[in-house]
Amino acid sequence: MTTEHPFEVRLRLRELPEPVEDLLVEQLDAIVSRFAEVPYVTVLQDAESGTLAAHRVVDQVRHLGGDVLAIDFDYVTRGEIAERLETTRQAVAHWVAGERQAAFPFPLPAIQAGISLWCWSDVVNWARASNRAFSADVRLMSADEIAMINGELAAGRMPIFA
């Protein structure tokens, strides 16, 4: 017997007309946000895996008129990691440098261009593996799952799951 878990799926959309935004909020209980005028939609979806959750959410958003560009990686800085894990920036700096929690190496940054950024799901997986107190019941897609779905979206091969 397989078990479904709630997954958080955050999508980046091309545009979001107000009637479509209203439908997403009403029918999917979506949270809509914008950064630099780019719309993002966050939906909780029960599924056996992050990949299946993403397929379902993309299909639902498309069905309601949304134009999905990608799954968002949710990149975070050291300061955001400290805030979300309710610890200090200094503790995060020690983890990153391998000076603490050495038995559980901290994830490598996903982006290093003047500032290091980590994929939040990688940090959450690390926090759970290293027995850091982390209370989120909602699961996140792994960076690999996100990359796979984004490849499907970019290639126009996203399967449709009703």
Side-chain angles (χ1 to χ4, degrees):
M1 178 181 208
T2 55
T3 305
E4 291 194 343
H5 305 278
F7 280 87
E8 180 180 290
V9 180
R10 186 170 186 237
L11 307 173
R12 186 173 67 241
L13 279 64
R14 185 175 314 279
E15 58 185 54
L16 191 56
E18 192 170 329
V20 175
E21 180 176 338
D22 292 343
L23 284 172
L24 294 173
V25 171
E26 292 168 12
Q27 294 189 22
L28 302 181
D29 201 23
I31 297 171
V32 178
S33 59
R34 286 179 174 73
F35 181 74
E37 299 190 33
V38 175
Y40 292 86
V41 173
T42 303
V43 177
L44 292 180
Q45 175 66 57
D46 289 337
E48 297 168 17
S49 69
T51 303
L52 184 55
H55 283 145
R56 288 177 181 168
V57 170
V58 168
D59 182 50
Q60 293 167 346
V61 169
R62 284 179 169 170
H63 179 75
L64 295 173
D67 188 4
V68 178
L69 290 174
I71 305 288
D72 186 55
F73 279 95
D74 193 12
Y75 292 119
V76 291
T77 64
R78 289 179 190 188
E80 290 168 318
I81 292 168
E83 183 179 321
R84 290 184 188 189
L85 292 181
E86 298 178 352
T87 190
T88 65
R89 290 180 184 211
Q90 178 132 8
V92 175
H94 287 299
W95 299 334
V96 169
E99 297 169 0
R100 291 195 187 148
Q101 302 283 353
F104 299 96
F106 199 75
L108 295 173
I111 298 175
Q112 288 182 296
I115 185 169
S116 294
L117 298 173
W118 288 264
C119 182
W120 177 240
S121 62
D122 289 344
V123 175
V124 168
N125 290 337
W126 171 86
R128 286 183 175 135
S130 64
N131 294 321
R132 293 278 316 148
F134 193 79
S135 62
D137 293 329
V138 173
R139 296 185 183 210
L140 302 172
M141 296 174 62
S142 70
D144 289 341
E145 288 174 318
I146 294 169
M148 185 180 75
I149 297 296
N150 284 343
E152 291 175 355
L153 285 166
R157 294 190 310 261
M158 181 60 123
I160 302 299
F161 291 88

